[in-house]
Amino acid sequence: GGMAAAVLLLLLLATAPGPGRADAGQERRDTLREELLLSPLPTGDVAATFQFRTRWDADLQRGSVSHYRLFPKALGRLVAALGVRELHLALTQGFWRTRYWGQPPLQAPAGAELWVWFQPTVTDVDKAWKELSNILSGIFCASLNFIDSTNTVIPTASFKPLGLANGTDHHLLRYAVLPREVVCTENLTPWKKLLPCGSKAGLAVLLKAERLFHSSYHSQAVHIRPVCRDASCLVVSWELRQTLTVVFDFFSSGQGKKDWSLFKMFSRTLTDTCPLASQSKVYVDISPKNKEKELLEVSPHPTSVHEAVVQGDKKTYAVYDLLSPSLFNTSRSLNVQLKWKRPQDSSEMPVPTLHAQRYVGGYGLQTGEICTLIYNTHPYRAFPVILLETVPWYLRLYVHTLTIITKGKENKPSYIHYQPAQDRRRPHLLEMLIQLPANSVTKITIQFERALLKWTEYPPDPNHGFYVGSSVLSALVPSVTAMKDMDVEQSPLFTSLFPSSDGSSYFVRLYTEPLLVNLPTPDFSMPYNVICLTCTVVAVCYGSFYNLLTRTFHVEEPSRGGLAKRLANVIRKFRGVPPL
Amino acid sequence: MAAPLVLVVLAAVTVRAALYRSSLAVFIAERVEVASPLNAWKRVVEGLALLDLGVSPYSGAIFHETPLIIYLFHFLIEYAELVFMITDVLTAVALYLAIQDFNKVVFKKQKLLIELDKYAPDVAELIQTPMEMHYIPLKVALFYLLNPYTVMSCVAKSTCAINNSVIAFFILATIKGSAFLSAVFLALATYQSLYPLTLFAPALLYLLQRQFIPIKLKSKSFWLYTTQYASLYLCSLVVIICLSFFLLNSWDFIPSVYGFILSVPDLTPNIGLFWYFFAEMFEHFSLFFVCVFQINVFFYTIPLAIKLKEHPVFFMFVQLAIISIFKSYPTLGDVALYMALLPVWSHLYRFLRNIFILSCVLIFCSFLFPVLWHLWIYAGSANSNFYYAITLTFNIGQILLISDYFYAFLRREYYLTHGLHLTRQDGTEAMLVLK
């Protein structure tokens, strides 16, 4: 009797819901979706975009969350402790050639880029920003600790929140770019570790460093933002997206044929799925160009075909659903292959609607000019673009030399926000809203003067030059085909990166090239010499004036001669010469 | 005397107008020797453009002019070239009138000293005659207007010309004896570039001399007059600074102008000694050496005042030269101002020891500045040391020039009181040494 009661009590205790444990089962659900998008580019290269999206139905800000499952604890604790509302970090090697490759799904500037929206409850945003960059520097093994006030700016119009936001006071936003940052394997490894399955199962098995860095463009990013939990949008969920874009250029660098396969690109094939993923798909872009029949042939046969309007254009994708049981029936591994049925007409390269170029003009080490060219190739629609330029303080911009010329006439921007730099404290910030007429080229030039820095402020290789971070172009580009509003959960991940307000235009963020600018250098071997010589000149003045001020004129009295004179006279007597 | 002056003015204006229209104007405007971060025209235009954009010109590190310059050029920006030409002409005319008056004062003083038998009997050839002093004012105006340094400074539209003009008016007001105007112009000059503060001492000494107040520390009238003049000066300075505050409704201009002049953060090369020194300075000692260099400018005032209390105008000349050599951002415009006053002491020529070598040094350095700049910045075949070396040489040349004139001045004073032909006790000809 007593034994049975004790066992019953034990059972009751064991099954009784503990504080918050039942919630973990139902409300605090987290889901993982992973996806790989393979798109052949017009030049014959192929771009692969991995996306791993973890959505966690918990409020990181409010509740004291202690049990982390799929969402990485490092990032969750970071968001909660520092009051982060949105975080976007990208580490990129190479440059996305928009002109030849088309509009990127998500572009990042060369080097490291970090932009963060903080919660309104954060009182000292600069302190939180400094702490955040240091912590991220540790998590990703990148030198993000070099982010300080000399490369941080507060944009007013360019970086609106991508997630839920109920108020956009731009003083809560910080943006920094480190163009000199190099991305390598030691940045990829901690990034892979944040994935729920690591690199052991699912799509992440393809992420082998030796193949990924043997490419012309490699960009890995982390995006954290709050999203609506459902259509009514009463509760907030947190979304973590990890994206990795890589462009393999076997064909254009002459190393191989245009046909490619997963094995050729990654030296691995997909063998199984990540058991923690609720969705795991591979999309291959097989959109026909110029409304012709398909030029591409994919094998094995895809699970389904998906049509969507992406970036204003109708596209067709072959879908391989790794979770469908029929996929691994025939072979244990999946190696997606693509063959070109007939050679593509190389003269028919489609030009993206918006692309830009930036370069440094002028000669010599005294002055220079930053020129940006923005192309709008839409045949009849004009649209505005916001240009954000961050220039370091040692290139002194002269805003009265800013000229914007479109089709030979001056184009006045409707909004200019200019914050001049302060030496050694903050960089220049120039934000402009420029209207681009249809089918035009807009040239924006601004002159600068190069400063001479103190010898300790030069990097170890001073004649390599100084990097100027990429400028950011944000625009709502009119789409060719109207886009239907789709549910985020049903559509592929690569279509739901940027929130779209209406179907007639899509949001695009482009980055221009980073610039490399030489500054005049002092001679680094000379500190001691310079100090001595300059102090000598000052001493010459001091000495002459001291003599003239403290001494007076006297008639010279003949002196009897000191020891030296007497010695000289003795020698002269020996020589037979008259004495002094 | 008016006709030759008008001719000189016309010639100067023609030269400047011709250069403004030529392609050299852009080249000269970019020269670092005439345009420093403090007085470059490009920065004035930039400051006005920032004001148009709704941003305070002092929020960045580009604009370091005083608010009164903003106020002046807000209305006159269309006529900038005319403004600078008129400024140069005004400076020359002010110096002309000042030196004319000064000659009268010198002659009167000489006559008094001869009657009082203060001079030795055989110094007739050292005494200045009205004949030889007749053309000195014209020479001063000529030296200022047609000096290549001044012409280049005007073509570059450097606001140094405005500073020179204010100092020239200050000299005129002081020599005429008007304490009020002298204090106002000195306050304006100090307000614009801080260093003319040291000209307070020679002005005070001159005015005391003119009022026949003896310079004794125990004399009551001495202290009365000094406090009068000092309070006039300080009040005008305070009024001008408060007016500047009301222009932009902020005190931002004080760290941007005076903080900039004193802490030297911008290391753009110029003809001075500061830039390379602080470019190569160990960070630890930076503050110490900034303080040392700034004290160096103000340091010579008191000793010079003690030594030259009977000759305040020469004191003013030496002080102007020291400011132009040791200020934090010197330009050739500053050098041109004190060089314009050299004809006033042309009677010292026979006692100058190294004038030939020094003038050669200064001329060669002036030619080498643009050459070595081009080699460093554009051709890339030289480095910063070459330009730095010419800077050093130019400054040594200037320093030795001033100390040479000082030596010659003191020597002439000695001869005046002790006789020209000095003999030793045993009758042989004597040598004069500084001991």
Side-chain angles (χ1 to χ4, degrees):
Chain A
M3 218 23 193
V7 168
L8 203 65
L9 201 62
L10 223 68
L11 264 171
L12 262 174
L13 279 172
T15 55
R21 257 207 321 134
D23 309 353
Q26 273 129 24
E27 284 150 39
R28 305 238 178 124
R29 220 173 16 111
D30 40 15
T31 48
L32 169 69
R33 285 172 61 185
E34 50 178 36
E35 147 192 313
L36 165 62
L37 167 68
L38 296 163
S39 25
L41 302 172
T43 47
D45 304 325
V46 55
T49 309
F50 292 82
Q51 269 205 53
F52 302 90
R53 174 184 181 252
T54 306
R55 202 190 87 165
W56 194 16
D57 296 334
D59 197 352
L60 277 173
Q61 297 297 321
R62 223 95 36 82
S64 58
V65 177
S66 54
H67 184 70
Y68 289 83
R69 204 172 69 102
L70 296 181
F71 202 97
K73 185 171 177 182
L75 295 178
R77 294 258 297 257
L78 191 66
V79 166
L82 291 174
V84 169
R85 191 168 74 195
E86 262 190 52
L87 186 146
H88 302 271
L89 168 67
L91 296 165
T92 313
Q93 181 85 347
F95 181 68
W96 180 275
R97 298 163 205 281
T98 314
R99 169 74 180 80
Y100 301 106
W101 294 345
Q103 222 74 267
L106 179 69
Q107 195 186 0
E113 183 203 38
L114 176 66
W115 60 280
V116 175
W117 276 94
F118 287 92
Q119 298 280 355
T121 52
V122 175
T123 44
D124 192 348
V125 181
D126 290 316
K127 185 154 160 280
W129 171 250
K130 186 93 188 124
E131 272 186 52
L132 178 69
S133 47
N134 278 313
I135 295 175
L136 285 174
S137 167
I139 295 177
F140 291 101
C141 296
S143 332
L144 300 174
N145 53 324
F146 284 126
I147 292 178
D148 56 11
S149 66
T150 60
N151 45 30
T152 307
V153 290
I154 305 178
T156 54
S158 297
F159 286 94
K160 294 294 176 207
L162 291 179
L164 276 186
N166 52 350
T168 50
D169 176 11
H170 66 266
H171 293 290
L172 298 169
L173 168 65
R174 294 288 185 275
Y175 173 79
V177 164
L178 293 172
R180 216 185 161 118
E181 188 67 19
V182 171
V183 184
C184 55
T185 314
E186 72 171 12
N187 305 118
L188 181 65
T189 312
W191 187 91
K192 281 198 289 187
K193 271 209 212 147
L194 295 174
L195 297 171
C197 278
S199 52
K200 297 184 178 51
L203 292 174
V205 295
L206 296 176
L207 300 174
K208 287 290 156 223
E210 53 176 351
R211 301 303 301 166
L212 284 181
F213 288 100
H214 204 69
S215 58
S216 63
Y217 177 78
H218 170 100
S219 171
Q220 62 196 58
V222 169
H223 304 275
I224 303 177
R225 61 182 178 172
V227 292
C228 291
R229 199 171 291 187
D230 47 26
S232 61
C233 212
L234 294 163
V235 207
V236 155
S237 297
W238 283 85
E239 178 192 83
L240 164 70
R241 280 191 197 226
Q242 285 179 260
T243 64
L244 193 144
T245 310
V246 61
V247 173
F248 293 102
D249 56 351
F250 307 120
F251 176 69
S252 52
S253 61
Q255 281 166 13
K257 293 199 292 237
K258 237 166 139 174
D259 306 331
W260 50 262
S261 68
L262 276 185
F263 186 76
K264 205 165 141 194
M265 288 195 289
F266 300 105
S267 72
R268 290 290 296 265
T269 56
L270 296 166
T271 45
D272 52 12
T273 61
C274 174
L276 300 167
S278 60
Q279 197 185 85
S280 186
K281 290 189 176 163
V282 176
Y283 291 83
V284 182
D285 186 354
I286 52 171
S287 317
K289 312 269 183 296
N290 305 327
K291 296 188 178 30
E292 286 177 10
K293 285 287 207 71
E294 288 172 11
L295 302 159
L296 314 164
E297 182 193 293
V298 282
S299 69
H301 201 69
T303 328
S304 59
V305 171
H306 179 86
E307 285 194 0
V309 177
V310 171
Q311 287 183 340
D313 217 351
K314 207 148 162 246
K315 296 218 164 109
T316 317
Y317 297 94
V319 183
Y320 294 85
D321 191 347
L322 294 177
L323 287 174
S324 85
S326 59
L327 198 64
F328 290 108
N329 264 352
T330 42
S331 65
R332 300 283 317 183
S333 73
L334 170 67
N335 183 17
V336 177
Q337 282 176 319
L338 184 135
K339 286 196 184 20
W340 291 86
K341 279 207 258 206
R342 73 159 190 274
Q344 190 187 22
D345 201 353
S346 59
S347 62
E348 282 300 323
M349 261 200 279
V351 182
T353 317
L354 174 69
H355 63 280
Q357 233 188 318
R358 191 173 69 152
Y359 55 92
V360 175
Y363 65 97
L365 293 176
Q366 190 177 4
T367 52
E369 193 177 60
I370 298 182
C371 306
T372 312
L373 294 169
I374 310 182
Y375 299 84
N376 173 8
T377 56
H378 201 281
Y380 52 86
R381 289 281 299 272
F383 55 89
V385 68
I386 298 182
L387 173 68
L388 170 76
E389 288 237 26
T390 311
V391 179
W393 65 267
Y394 38 82
L395 301 179
R396 300 175 205 271
L397 290 183
Y398 284 90
V399 80
H400 74 271
T401 56
L402 176 68
T403 52
I404 307 176
I405 304 212
T406 312
K407 290 185 179 170
K409 283 189 303 214
E410 203 193 314
N411 181 355
K412 249 181 99 59
S414 42
Y415 168 75
I416 289 192
H417 172 73
Y418 177 63
Q419 197 186 49
Q422 279 177 352
D423 277 8
R424 302 180 179 89
R425 274 207 289 248
R426 66 167 194 231
H428 295 279
L429 173 68
L430 178 62
E431 261 189 296
M432 295 187 287
L433 178 67
I434 306 168
Q435 191 73 13
L436 302 177
N439 206 12
S440 64
V441 180
T442 305
K443 184 169 179 184
I444 303 157
T445 52
I446 185 166
Q447 287 176 10
F448 63 85
E449 227 177 52
R450 303 175 205 223
L452 184 72
L453 305 176
K454 300 187 183 176
W455 70 302
T456 47
E457 291 172 345
Y458 286 87
D461 184 4
N463 290 303
H464 177 73
F466 288 76
Y467 284 96
V468 179
S470 314
S471 45
V472 188
L473 293 155
S474 321
L476 279 171
V477 181
S479 18
V480 173
T481 321
M483 296 188 297
K484 289 188 290 272
D485 214 9
M486 287 175 299
D487 183 20
V488 171
E489 299 302 321
Q490 305 304 321
S491 49
L493 287 174
F494 58 85
T495 57
S496 59
L497 272 171
F498 294 111
S500 59
S501 48
D502 62 272
S504 63
S505 56
Y506 61 95
F507 180 76
V508 134
R509 185 171 285 139
L510 284 185
Y511 294 88
T512 60
E513 294 92 330
L515 302 172
L516 189 58
V517 173
N518 265 322
L519 290 182
T521 57
D523 189 343
F524 297 98
S525 62
M526 291 276 286
Y528 179 70
N529 302 346
V530 167
I531 294 174
C532 284
L533 289 170
T534 308
C535 291
T536 304
V537 171
V538 175
V540 163
C541 179
Y542 178 82
S544 319
F545 274 79
Y546 179 82
N547 272 341
L548 292 166
L549 289 168
T550 53
R551 296 183 185 196
T552 48
F553 283 102
H554 293 282
V555 174
E556 189 190 1
E557 293 301 319
S559 54
R560 227 100 30 91
L563 180 65
K565 207 163 164 193
R566 267 185 282 176
L567 215 62
N569 279 339
V570 165
I571 297 174
R572 285 172 94 100
K573 204 154 76 167
F574 276 128
R575 282 170 60 195
V577 172
L580 283 169
Chain B
M1 282 305 282
L5 180 63
V6 168
L7 274 173
V8 167
V9 164
L10 277 175
V13 167
T14 313
V15 167
R16 283 161 173 75
L19 278 173
Y20 272 129
R21 295 283 160 262
S22 74
S23 60
L24 280 177
V26 173
F27 170 73
I28 292 176
E30 279 188 349
R31 301 265 92 239
V32 286
E33 294 92 13
V34 288
S36 74
L38 271 183
N39 52 31
W41 177 247
K42 203 169 171 193
R43 293 185 181 230
V44 174
V45 177
E46 177 69 10
L48 292 171
L50 282 174
L51 204 60
D52 282 341
L53 271 179
V55 178
S56 163
Y58 300 110
S59 59
I62 289 265
F63 188 72
H64 302 287
E65 299 274 3
T66 54
L68 284 188
I69 297 279
I70 300 181
Y71 194 66
L72 177 74
F73 283 109
H74 191 64
F75 302 109
L76 295 176
I77 188 128
E78 305 291 320
Y79 313 105
E81 296 173 359
L82 209 59
V83 167
F84 284 102
M85 284 203 277
I86 291 176
T87 313
D88 267 0
V89 168
L90 284 176
T91 313
V93 169
L95 286 176
Y96 176 89
L97 296 170
I99 300 302
Q100 233 180 15
D101 253 16
F102 177 59
N103 279 348
K104 293 193 193 122
V105 167
V106 161
F107 194 59
K108 231 191 296 185
K109 188 171 164 197
Q110 232 175 211
K111 215 160 96 164
L112 181 70
L113 287 173
I114 290 175
E115 280 171 17
L116 289 177
D117 252 347
K118 288 279 168 79
Y119 287 162
D122 58 349
V123 294
E125 58 194 76
L126 285 181
I127 305 227
Q128 289 179 292
T129 60
M131 269 309 290
E132 67 189 46
M133 298 205 308
H134 184 66
Y135 284 106
I136 289 181
L138 184 66
K139 277 195 217 164
V140 166
L142 194 77
F143 259 55
Y144 185 73
L145 280 175
L146 294 180
N147 190 348
Y149 295 163
T150 325
V151 171
M152 287 216 314
S153 206
C154 180
V155 174
K157 291 192 274 211
S158 154
T159 56
C160 185
I162 297 177
N163 203 21
N164 286 356
S165 178
V166 173
I167 295 180
F169 277 109
F170 154 72
I171 296 178
L172 176 63
T174 310
I175 291 186
K176 289 263 191 209
S178 158
F180 172 66
L181 279 177
S182 165
V184 166
F185 281 116
L186 185 64
L188 267 175
T190 312
Y191 164 74
Q192 196 176 358
S193 69
L194 195 66
Y195 292 106
L197 172 66
T198 51
L199 294 173
F200 179 83
L204 180 65
L205 287 173
Y206 183 84
L207 291 167
L208 283 171
Q209 217 181 50
R210 205 188 154 87
Q211 307 278 41
F212 303 110
I213 298 172
I215 302 163
K216 283 198 218 322
L217 283 174
K218 296 205 181 61
S219 148
K220 211 170 66 161
S221 50
F222 165 73
W223 286 112
L224 191 65
Y225 197 83
T226 309
T227 33
Q228 254 185 329
Y229 188 61
S231 52
L232 271 174
Y233 169 65
L234 286 170
C235 286
S236 358
L237 195 60
V238 165
V239 164
I240 296 171
I241 290 189
C242 288
L243 271 176
S244 317
F245 169 74
F246 288 119
L247 196 74
L248 285 172
N249 266 328
S250 75
W251 294 110
D252 275 349
F253 72 96
I254 292 187
S256 245
V257 180
Y258 306 113
F260 181 79
I261 292 177
L262 290 175
S263 63
V264 197
D266 187 340
L267 297 173
T268 312
N270 49 55
I271 59 172
L273 297 164
F274 278 64
W275 62 280
Y276 207 53
F277 190 72
F278 290 107
E280 299 273 16
M281 174 54 61
F282 301 102
E283 200 55 43
H284 187 65
F285 297 105
S286 191
L287 181 63
F288 170 69
F289 277 103
V290 164
C291 296
V292 165
F293 271 54
Q294 297 293 356
I295 289 173
N296 188 43
V297 185
F298 296 96
F299 175 68
Y300 296 98
T301 308
I302 309 263
L304 280 171
I306 296 172
K307 182 84 179 184
L308 291 173
K309 58 178 182 277
E310 306 294 326
H311 314 281
V313 179
F314 187 74
F315 176 18
M316 211 182 286
F317 165 72
V318 175
Q319 193 61 65
L320 269 175
I322 288 178
I323 294 175
S324 331
I325 299 171
F326 291 113
K327 69 192 289 197
S328 42
Y329 293 99
T331 57
L332 291 178
D334 303 305
V335 175
L337 182 65
Y338 79 80
M339 281 200 172
L341 295 175
L342 287 179
V344 182
W345 288 286
S346 49
H347 58 271
L348 297 173
Y349 180 75
R350 58 185 290 178
F351 301 114
L352 292 172
R353 291 176 298 175
N354 305 314
I355 190 67
F356 176 67
I357 288 189
L358 291 174
S359 31
C360 283
V361 164
L362 291 176
I363 293 174
F364 284 156
C365 287
S366 314
F367 281 116
L368 281 176
F369 270 123
V371 170
L372 291 171
W373 177 257
H374 177 87
L375 282 181
W376 172 28
I377 297 289
Y378 293 101
S381 49
N383 64 10
S384 48
N385 291 334
F386 292 68
Y387 194 76
Y388 168 65
I390 296 301
T391 309
L392 285 181
T393 322
F394 188 71
N395 283 312
I396 288 209
Q398 286 186 77
I399 290 168
L400 292 177
L401 180 75
I402 298 307
S403 55
D404 211 12
Y405 265 89
F406 197 7
Y407 173 85
F409 188 84
L410 292 175
R411 194 166 167 149
R412 179 176 170 272
E413 291 302 310
Y414 183 83
Y415 279 138
L416 277 178
T417 46
H418 290 88
L420 201 52
H421 304 289
L422 302 160
T423 53
R424 277 191 231 153
Q425 276 147 3
D426 49 3
T428 54
E429 197 169 329
M431 290 276 291
L432 209 56
V433 290
L434 266 180
K435 257 216 242 265

